[in-house]
Amino acid sequence: MPTPTEIAPADPSPRRRPSPLSMAAWTQFLAVAKPYWLGDQRKTAWTSLALLLALMLAETQFAVMLNDQTGEMTSALAGRDADRFWHSVLACLGILVFAVPIYAFYYYMRDAFSNQWRRWLTGRFLDGYLDGRKYYALGSGGEIDNPDQRISEDINTFTGRSTHFLLIFLGSLMQLVAFSAVLWSISHLLVAVLAVYALLGTVIALYVFGAPLIQLNFWQIRREADFRFGLMRVRENAESIAFYRGEAQERAQIDGKFGKVFTNYERLIKKQRSLNLFQRGFNQLTLVLPAVVLAQGVLSGELEVGRAVQAAGAFAAVLGAVALIVDNFESLSRFVAGIDRLQALSREVLQAGAAAPATEARPKIRTEAGEQLALDALTLYTPQYERMLIKELSLSLKPGDGLLITGDSGCGKSSLLRAIAGLWRAGSGVVHLPPLDDVFFLPQQPYMQFGTLRSQLIYPAATTDLADERLLEILAEVHMAELAERVGGLDAVHDWAKLLSVGEQQRLAFGRVLVRQPRIVILDEATSALDSGNEASLYERLRGTGTTVVSIAHRAAVLRHHTQVLELKGEGAWALHAARAYRFDGTSTGA
């Protein structure tokens, strides 16, 4: 493990290394941005861009006009020409009457456009993230760190910065054309000096500060996310940590993550300090250069002072246009680092046929439609194929059957349920299942959504045709008749994971089964926090409806609610017993 004082290590995955300002970065940008501009929102996108360009053209024209009037006012003052001066002042005020509203509306439209793009792109990534349970695969695979942050923050940065850089690039082109004509009419030599100066500054910025800043920004984004995730885990597991009194261990973990944030940022600000020195010197010299080049013409009387001021303004405007990369290099480097993270997530959740890991070439467990649950020559491995858990398991359940899965810890009981659910596919064989709407899984720790009591009962559905009276009856059937009154009714909103004990949560999860009425219920130690009376009552309620039950449990009392026992013995071995003949000491009195 690297210590907090170590510098950013080399990225172990070459394909995830952030690209410098090059065609690679441009290709990554297009991969993420193109669907919005060419997809179903293309009319809205291009119309909004056209409006922004029109506003930008108007703003640029007004800027040129104001620059001209600034020169006029200066020349009028130098020549002590009052009429000329006040005429110029009135002209400036007239220009500002139109320029100020256009300026404000332009920035409003820019932010509104960016916000709409973010909404569309976030929706697209969420569709891919939740489709096919990719969120589960990303969470267990570890290839993509902090996908939640990439969707919530990196997309926001991407759309905002993309809009910003697109518009300042187009604005710079307009500014370059408009003010170059002004500058050329005043001094050809000043244009030549400007071109050399801007080219030199851009080359230095790219080659001296380019790749290091992008690399450091990439790691800063990642390490800030890791630090935030560490704090979030403390909040989510506060009770367990408090029981263990594990504050010192948690502090050490958080200190380690923050140490990496601090060290990387220290390197980043040192590199940024050097860039700031260069940028400041580069920009401040523009105050001197125009005056030096034009001094002889002004001193000799060939050029009015106002024309020199006008030239200085045009010089600054054109330099700002051609030195775009130098002036925006810090934010541009952060932007490129964020593109790489977003593109990596895009490859995983959006692109069909994307590069798959080496395990993709190995056989996979298939899921096929069937009337009841059946396993056909199922061989199951851990996700990376390191260890075989079950070898060539075949069984078939009839309606109303009950299968109890047992075995030592780590033998693959929960893994088998994941394979049945389609979460794990490492292995071979076929799982036959009815439609997923007819199958319901109950984990040991039920998921409690933040919302109303009604939403907890009908989860994962969003609506139900059941009347409130029936929902209250279901609460009574799982021995929670007083719950609705205690919390304030079915529409009461609470943090149920904190309000209810684990046993109450497990009983509420059984209520979801009664709401849904599936043909098959699969329980992964879903009664572990219940007393024997509640456990027996809930099992009897399930079995009384003719539901097929598959359970993982360790209590001998649950045997009577099942017809078969699947004993997993480790190293792929297994045995199938009749429940009435099985003993939890590992013996069986008959087949």
Side-chain angles (χ1 to χ4, degrees):
M1 286 286 292
T3 64
T5 57
E6 288 178 335
I7 62 173
D11 191 351
S13 176
R15 74 181 178 89
R16 293 170 58 195
R17 184 179 301 279
S19 304
L21 298 179
S22 63
M23 283 302 299
W26 177 246
T27 301
Q28 287 184 331
F29 170 79
L30 287 179
V32 178
K34 189 165 59 174
Y36 181 68
W37 295 91
L38 300 180
D40 58 336
Q41 294 294 309
R42 60 185 180 275
K43 290 184 179 179
T44 302
W46 289 105
T47 301
S48 299
L49 180 60
L51 177 58
L52 283 167
L53 289 178
L55 292 170
M56 192 183 300
L57 276 170
E59 188 179 358
T60 302
Q61 180 59 39
F62 285 131
V64 172
M65 294 166 67
L66 285 171
N67 185 66
D68 290 343
Q69 292 306 317
T70 301
E72 277 290 296
M73 283 191 290
T74 305
S75 293
L77 288 171
R80 299 180 181 181
D81 186 341
D83 290 341
R84 183 181 179 188
F85 172 76
W86 289 113
H87 181 272
S88 181
V89 169
L90 290 174
C92 281
L93 292 176
I95 293 168
L96 289 173
V97 168
F98 296 98
V100 171
I102 286 177
Y103 174 87
F105 189 60
Y106 164 75
Y107 281 100
Y108 165 76
M109 283 299 302
R110 184 197 68 178
D111 294 339
F113 170 74
S114 175
N115 199 36
Q116 288 295 327
W117 189 3
R118 180 193 180 188
R119 179 182 182 181
W120 182 89
L121 193 59
T122 300
R124 183 169 186 259
F125 269 84
L126 285 175
D127 287 343
Y129 184 58
L130 297 175
D131 181 55
R133 297 170 174 170
K134 292 191 182 78
Y135 60 91
Y136 178 84
L138 289 177
S140 60
E143 287 294 318
I144 299 293
D145 65 276
N146 303 293
D148 51 323
Q149 188 230 15
R150 299 187 189 213
I151 293 174
S152 64
E153 295 184 20
D154 290 355
I155 287 179
N156 186 29
T157 301
F158 176 82
T159 54
R161 288 291 174 182
S162 293
T163 304
H164 171 71
F165 286 124
L166 172 64
L167 293 177
I168 65 171
F169 175 75
L170 294 174
S172 294
L173 286 178
M174 296 178 191
Q175 198 167 282
L176 181 64
V177 172
F179 283 99
S180 290
V182 175
L183 201 59
W184 185 260
S185 69
I186 297 173
S187 172
H188 295 3
L189 177 60
L190 196 55
V191 174
V193 170
L194 172 67
V196 173
Y197 188 69
L199 179 62
L200 183 64
T202 302
V203 169
I204 292 174
L206 283 174
Y207 284 93
V208 176
F209 303 103
L213 267 177
I214 295 173
Q215 180 80 353
L216 288 168
N217 273 299
F218 174 86
W219 283 106
Q220 192 66 25
I221 293 170
R222 177 169 182 171
R223 286 174 172 172
E224 291 281 5
D226 289 342
F227 174 55
R228 184 166 53 252
F229 182 70
L231 292 172
M232 185 178 68
R233 284 183 62 85
V234 172
R235 176 171 57 83
E236 291 181 344
N237 298 279
E239 186 176 65
S240 298
I241 294 170
F243 274 126
Y244 277 114
R245 302 170 70 182
E247 295 83 6
Q249 178 69 268
E250 294 303 318
R251 177 57 188 266
Q253 292 272 357
I254 292 172
D255 281 347
K257 293 180 184 298
F258 182 70
K260 294 178 181 179
V261 171
F262 178 84
T263 302
N264 194 77
Y265 191 66
E266 194 171 42
R267 295 182 66 204
L268 181 60
I269 59 178
K270 286 179 180 178
K271 182 61 70 174
Q272 186 61 46
R273 176 191 60 194
S274 301
L275 177 61
N276 288 339
L277 284 170
F278 172 73
Q279 284 178 322
R280 188 67 173 176
F282 182 84
N283 290 327
Q284 291 302 308
L285 278 175
T286 62
L287 300 176
V288 179
L289 278 176
V292 170
V293 175
L294 299 175
Q296 184 60 39
V298 175
L299 294 174
S300 66
E302 297 176 6
L303 193 66
E304 284 187 334
V305 175
R307 291 286 280 172
V309 171
Q310 186 180 352
F315 183 90
V318 175
L319 182 64
V322 296
L324 186 65
I325 293 178
V326 176
D327 292 339
N328 294 276
F329 199 84
E330 179 188 359
S331 55
L332 192 60
S333 63
R334 289 199 303 268
F335 176 57
V336 173
I339 290 176
D340 184 80
R341 289 169 52 80
L342 208 52
Q343 168 62 2
L345 181 63
S346 172
R347 283 195 300 264
E348 297 293 333
V349 303
L350 297 180
Q351 297 179 13
T359 55
E360 194 67 30
R362 298 180 178 177
K364 295 290 184 182
I365 296 170
R366 302 195 323 270
T367 300
E368 296 182 359
E371 287 300 314
Q372 277 292 321
L373 173 62
L375 307 178
D376 185 8
L378 179 72
T379 297
L380 178 64
Y381 290 86
T382 52
Q384 301 303 319
Y385 291 82
E386 305 99 333
R387 183 165 65 95
M388 178 188 290
L389 300 173
I390 300 171
K391 183 178 181 180
E392 295 185 353
L393 170 62
S394 295
L395 61 84
S396 180
L397 299 180
K398 299 189 295 295
D401 275 356
L403 176 69
L404 177 64
I405 304 173
T406 187
D408 294 336
S409 178
C411 66
K413 301 184 296 296
S414 295
S415 302
L416 176 58
L417 298 192
R418 295 186 185 106
I420 293 173
L423 301 180
W424 280 19
R425 299 178 57 235
S428 59
V430 182
V431 175
H432 299 275
L433 268 182
L436 290 179
D437 286 344
D438 290 329
V439 182
F440 203 82
F441 290 83
L442 289 183
Q444 182 177 14
Q445 179 61 57
Y447 172 63
M448 294 286 111
Q449 186 187 48
F450 189 87
T452 64
L453 178 57
R454 179 185 287 102
S455 70
Q456 306 314 303
L457 267 175
I458 67 175
Y459 188 83
T463 59
T464 181
D465 294 331
L466 297 179
D468 288 358
E469 292 76 12
R470 176 54 188 152
L471 294 178
L472 293 172
E473 288 175 4
I474 289 174
L475 284 174
E477 290 174 18
V478 296
H479 309 145
M480 301 185 76
E482 81 296 340
L483 179 61
E485 183 178 352
R486 173 160 60 94
V487 301
L490 290 172
D491 291 318
V493 177
H494 294 284
D495 188 347
W496 303 99
K498 293 181 179 178
L499 181 67
L500 303 179
S501 69
V502 177
E504 288 175 317
Q505 292 177 41
Q506 289 185 344
R507 279 184 279 160
L508 191 58
F510 263 88
R512 293 171 177 173
V513 177
L514 301 182
V515 168
R516 197 174 184 90
Q517 297 183 340
R519 290 160 57 186
I520 300 175
V521 177
I522 300 177
L523 306 94
D524 185 359
E525 300 190 62
T527 59
S528 59
L530 301 182
D531 59 82
S532 56
N534 269 311
E535 181 181 61
S537 174
L538 292 176
Y539 264 109
E540 287 170 0
R541 178 71 178 79
L542 280 183
R543 300 289 285 142
T545 62
T547 303
T548 301
V549 176
V550 179
S551 305
I552 292 176
H554 299 284
R555 296 175 182 171
V558 302
L559 275 170
R560 63 192 180 93
H561 304 296
H562 298 82
T563 56
Q564 300 179 68
V565 175
L566 174 63
E567 182 185 5
L568 302 182
K569 300 183 176 182
E571 303 300 325
W574 55 274
L576 197 60
H577 309 276
R580 63 180 180 276
Y582 185 76
R583 301 290 180 270
F584 263 91
D585 59 6
T587 62
S588 177
T589 60

